[in-house]
mmCIF file of all heavy atoms in Angstrom:
data_model
loop_
_atom_site.group_PDB
_atom_site.id
_atom_site.type_symbol
_atom_site.label_atom_id
_atom_site.label_comp_id
_atom_site.label_asym_id
_atom_site.label_seq_id
_atom_site.Cartn_x
_atom_site.Cartn_y
_atom_site.Cartn_z
ATOM 1 N N ARG A 67 -120.634 212.158 -58.495
ATOM 2 C CA ARG A 67 -119.414 211.456 -58.875
ATOM 3 C C ARG A 67 -118.335 212.428 -59.343
ATOM 4 O O ARG A 67 -117.161 212.277 -59.018
ATOM 5 C CB ARG A 67 -119.748 210.456 -59.986
ATOM 6 C CG ARG A 67 -118.781 209.325 -60.169
ATOM 7 C CD ARG A 67 -119.385 208.260 -61.082
ATOM 8 N NE ARG A 67 -120.038 208.848 -62.251
ATOM 9 C CZ ARG A 67 -119.376 209.262 -63.336
ATOM 10 N NH1 ARG A 67 -118.080 209.123 -63.404
ATOM 11 N NH2 ARG A 67 -120.025 209.787 -64.357
ATOM 12 N N VAL A 68 -118.763 213.450 -60.082
ATOM 13 C CA VAL A 68 -117.799 214.432 -60.583
ATOM 14 C C VAL A 68 -117.183 215.217 -59.430
ATOM 15 O O VAL A 68 -115.971 215.440 -59.386
ATOM 16 C CB VAL A 68 -118.467 215.380 -61.604
ATOM 17 C CG1 VAL A 68 -117.527 216.518 -61.970
ATOM 18 C CG2 VAL A 68 -118.866 214.605 -62.849
ATOM 19 N N ARG A 71 -114.616 212.945 -57.518
ATOM 20 C CA ARG A 71 -113.326 212.611 -58.126
ATOM 21 C C ARG A 71 -112.381 213.799 -58.210
ATOM 22 O O ARG A 71 -111.189 213.632 -58.407
ATOM 23 C CB ARG A 71 -113.498 211.962 -59.497
ATOM 24 C CG ARG A 71 -114.123 212.809 -60.567
ATOM 25 C CD ARG A 71 -114.169 212.046 -61.885
ATOM 26 N NE ARG A 71 -112.854 211.942 -62.494
ATOM 27 C CZ ARG A 71 -112.242 212.934 -63.155
ATOM 28 N NH1 ARG A 71 -112.838 214.107 -63.277
ATOM 29 N NH2 ARG A 71 -111.059 212.770 -63.684
ATOM 30 N N ARG A 72 -112.893 214.988 -58.042
ATOM 31 C CA ARG A 72 -112.036 216.183 -58.082
ATOM 32 C C ARG A 72 -111.653 216.673 -56.699
ATOM 33 O O ARG A 72 -111.002 217.705 -56.557
ATOM 34 C CB ARG A 72 -112.747 217.310 -58.834
ATOM 35 C CG ARG A 72 -112.976 216.993 -60.303
ATOM 36 C CD ARG A 72 -113.827 218.056 -60.961
ATOM 37 N NE ARG A 72 -113.086 219.297 -61.165
ATOM 38 C CZ ARG A 72 -112.436 219.591 -62.294
ATOM 39 N NH1 ARG A 72 -112.442 218.756 -63.291
ATOM 40 N NH2 ARG A 72 -111.798 220.730 -62.423
ATOM 41 N N GLY A 128 -97.593 210.332 -66.826
ATOM 42 C CA GLY A 128 -98.850 210.441 -67.564
ATOM 43 C C GLY A 128 -100.062 210.011 -66.767
ATOM 44 O O GLY A 128 -101.192 210.354 -67.121
ATOM 45 N N LYS A 129 -99.837 209.253 -65.700
ATOM 46 C CA LYS A 129 -100.956 208.770 -64.879
ATOM 47 C C LYS A 129 -101.262 209.687 -63.699
ATOM 48 O O LYS A 129 -102.255 209.514 -62.998
ATOM 49 C CB LYS A 129 -100.645 207.357 -64.369
ATOM 50 C CG LYS A 129 -101.219 206.255 -65.249
ATOM 51 C CD LYS A 129 -102.731 206.323 -65.264
ATOM 52 C CE LYS A 129 -103.346 205.168 -66.017
ATOM 53 N NZ LYS A 129 -104.806 205.339 -66.142
ATOM 54 N N VAL A 130 -100.379 210.640 -63.450
ATOM 55 C CA VAL A 130 -100.602 211.539 -62.310
ATOM 56 C C VAL A 130 -101.780 212.456 -62.629
ATOM 57 O O VAL A 130 -101.836 213.073 -63.692
ATOM 58 C CB VAL A 130 -99.327 212.361 -62.010
ATOM 59 C CG1 VAL A 130 -99.600 213.411 -60.952
ATOM 60 C CG2 VAL A 130 -98.208 211.424 -61.559
ATOM 61 N N ALA A 131 -102.717 212.540 -61.716
ATOM 62 C CA ALA A 131 -103.956 213.277 -61.963
ATOM 63 C C ALA A 131 -103.698 214.768 -62.133
ATOM 64 O O ALA A 131 -102.872 215.358 -61.423
ATOM 65 C CB ALA A 131 -104.938 213.055 -60.814
ATOM 66 N N VAL A 132 -104.408 215.366 -63.053
ATOM 67 C CA VAL A 132 -104.328 216.806 -63.289
ATOM 68 C C VAL A 132 -104.669 217.580 -62.015
ATOM 69 O O VAL A 132 -104.113 218.643 -61.747
ATOM 70 C CB VAL A 132 -105.277 217.191 -64.446
ATOM 71 C CG1 VAL A 132 -105.377 218.701 -64.603
ATOM 72 C CG2 VAL A 132 -104.819 216.535 -65.751
ATOM 73 N N MET A 133 -105.564 217.029 -61.222
ATOM 74 C CA MET A 133 -106.039 217.726 -60.018
ATOM 75 C C MET A 133 -105.179 217.434 -58.781
ATOM 76 O O MET A 133 -105.571 217.765 -57.657
ATOM 77 C CB MET A 133 -107.492 217.336 -59.730
ATOM 78 C CG MET A 133 -108.477 217.789 -60.798
ATOM 79 S SD MET A 133 -108.559 219.581 -60.947
ATOM 80 C CE MET A 133 -109.372 220.005 -59.404
ATOM 81 N N PRO A 136 -104.270 220.753 -56.351
ATOM 82 C CA PRO A 136 -105.394 221.305 -55.566
ATOM 83 C C PRO A 136 -106.049 220.291 -54.633
ATOM 84 O O PRO A 136 -106.761 220.676 -53.711
ATOM 85 C CB PRO A 136 -106.372 221.800 -56.645
ATOM 86 C CG PRO A 136 -105.921 221.215 -57.924
ATOM 87 C CD PRO A 136 -104.456 220.933 -57.800
ATOM 88 N N GLU B 15 -118.231 213.403 -69.811
ATOM 89 C CA GLU B 15 -119.174 213.185 -68.701
ATOM 90 C C GLU B 15 -118.421 212.815 -67.427
ATOM 91 O O GLU B 15 -118.711 213.318 -66.343
ATOM 92 C CB GLU B 15 -120.189 212.090 -69.055
ATOM 93 C CG GLU B 15 -121.122 211.786 -67.886
ATOM 94 C CD GLU B 15 -122.314 210.899 -68.238
ATOM 95 O OE1 GLU B 15 -122.675 210.818 -69.416
ATOM 96 O OE2 GLU B 15 -122.872 210.311 -67.301
ATOM 97 N N GLU B 16 -117.436 211.939 -67.579
ATOM 98 C CA GLU B 16 -116.664 211.490 -66.420
ATOM 99 C C GLU B 16 -115.958 212.664 -65.736
ATOM 100 O O GLU B 16 -115.950 212.786 -64.517
ATOM 101 C CB GLU B 16 -115.640 210.438 -66.886
ATOM 102 C CG GLU B 16 -114.686 209.932 -65.809
ATOM 103 C CD GLU B 16 -115.364 209.007 -64.813
ATOM 104 O OE1 GLU B 16 -116.424 208.458 -65.152
ATOM 105 O OE2 GLU B 16 -114.838 208.862 -63.699
ATOM 106 N N VAL B 17 -115.391 213.550 -66.538
ATOM 107 C CA VAL B 17 -114.594 214.652 -65.988
ATOM 108 C C VAL B 17 -115.475 215.787 -65.470
ATOM 109 O O VAL B 17 -115.254 216.328 -64.391
ATOM 110 C CB VAL B 17 -113.610 215.186 -67.058
ATOM 111 C CG1 VAL B 17 -112.958 216.488 -66.592
ATOM 112 C CG2 VAL B 17 -112.544 214.143 -67.360
ATOM 113 N N SER B 18 -116.486 216.147 -66.263
ATOM 114 C CA SER B 18 -117.211 217.395 -65.979
ATOM 115 C C SER B 18 -118.627 217.197 -65.464
ATOM 116 O O SER B 18 -119.221 218.116 -64.916
ATOM 117 C CB SER B 18 -117.297 218.239 -67.251
ATOM 118 O OG SER B 18 -118.157 217.594 -68.186
ATOM 119 N N GLY B 19 -119.171 216.002 -65.668
ATOM 120 C CA GLY B 19 -120.548 215.770 -65.245
ATOM 121 C C GLY B 19 -121.573 216.144 -66.306
ATOM 122 O O GLY B 19 -122.764 215.905 -66.126
ATOM 123 N N LEU B 40 -108.693 223.660 -66.897
ATOM 124 C CA LEU B 40 -108.120 222.529 -66.159
ATOM 125 C C LEU B 40 -108.859 221.231 -66.501
ATOM 126 O O LEU B 40 -108.251 220.179 -66.694
ATOM 127 C CB LEU B 40 -108.199 222.819 -64.654
ATOM 128 C CG LEU B 40 -107.325 221.995 -63.730
ATOM 129 C CD1 LEU B 40 -105.869 221.990 -64.201
ATOM 130 C CD2 LEU B 40 -107.405 222.543 -62.311
ATOM 131 N N SER B 41 -110.180 221.333 -66.593
ATOM 132 C CA SER B 41 -110.970 220.156 -66.976
ATOM 133 C C SER B 41 -110.619 219.729 -68.396
ATOM 134 O O SER B 41 -110.602 218.535 -68.714
ATOM 135 C CB SER B 41 -112.465 220.463 -66.891
ATOM 136 O OG SER B 41 -112.822 220.783 -65.569
ATOM 137 N N VAL B 43 -107.746 219.944 -69.768
ATOM 138 C CA VAL B 43 -106.501 219.165 -69.686
ATOM 139 C C VAL B 43 -106.805 217.734 -69.214
ATOM 140 O O VAL B 43 -106.263 216.766 -69.751
ATOM 141 C CB VAL B 43 -105.495 219.842 -68.726
ATOM 142 C CG1 VAL B 43 -104.276 218.948 -68.531
ATOM 143 C CG2 VAL B 43 -105.083 221.202 -69.265
ATOM 144 N N GLU B 44 -107.720 217.617 -68.264
ATOM 145 C CA GLU B 44 -108.095 216.274 -67.791
ATOM 146 C C GLU B 44 -108.694 215.447 -68.935
ATOM 147 O O GLU B 44 -108.417 214.256 -69.081
ATOM 148 C CB GLU B 44 -109.126 216.379 -66.660
ATOM 149 C CG GLU B 44 -108.551 216.764 -65.328
ATOM 150 C CD GLU B 44 -109.545 216.482 -64.209
ATOM 151 O OE1 GLU B 44 -110.361 217.355 -63.909
ATOM 152 O OE2 GLU B 44 -109.519 215.373 -63.662
ATOM 153 N N VAL B 47 -105.908 214.368 -71.299
ATOM 154 C CA VAL B 47 -105.100 213.271 -70.734
ATOM 155 C C VAL B 47 -105.853 211.940 -70.880
ATOM 156 O O VAL B 47 -105.288 210.923 -71.282
ATOM 157 C CB VAL B 47 -104.759 213.551 -69.254
ATOM 158 C CG1 VAL B 47 -104.159 212.313 -68.593
ATOM 159 C CG2 VAL B 47 -103.783 214.726 -69.148
ATOM 160 N N GLU B 51 -105.004 208.563 -73.499
ATOM 161 C CA GLU B 51 -104.903 207.167 -73.076
ATOM 162 C C GLU B 51 -105.901 206.290 -73.829
ATOM 163 O O GLU B 51 -105.568 205.217 -74.335
ATOM 164 C CB GLU B 51 -105.136 207.060 -71.573
ATOM 165 C CG GLU B 51 -105.145 205.611 -71.111
ATOM 166 C CD GLU B 51 -104.959 205.492 -69.618
ATOM 167 O OE1 GLU B 51 -104.191 206.281 -69.055
ATOM 168 O OE2 GLU B 51 -105.592 204.609 -69.020
#
Side-chain angles (χ1 to χ4, degrees):
Chain A
R67 201 168 44 80
V68 172
R71 64 178 286 283
R72 295 173 73 93
K129 265 297 185 186
V130 173
V132 172
M133 295 297 290
Chain B
E15 176 169 339
E16 176 73 20
V17 170
S18 69
L40 197 51
S41 298
V43 174
E44 283 195 272
V47 169
E51 176 163 323

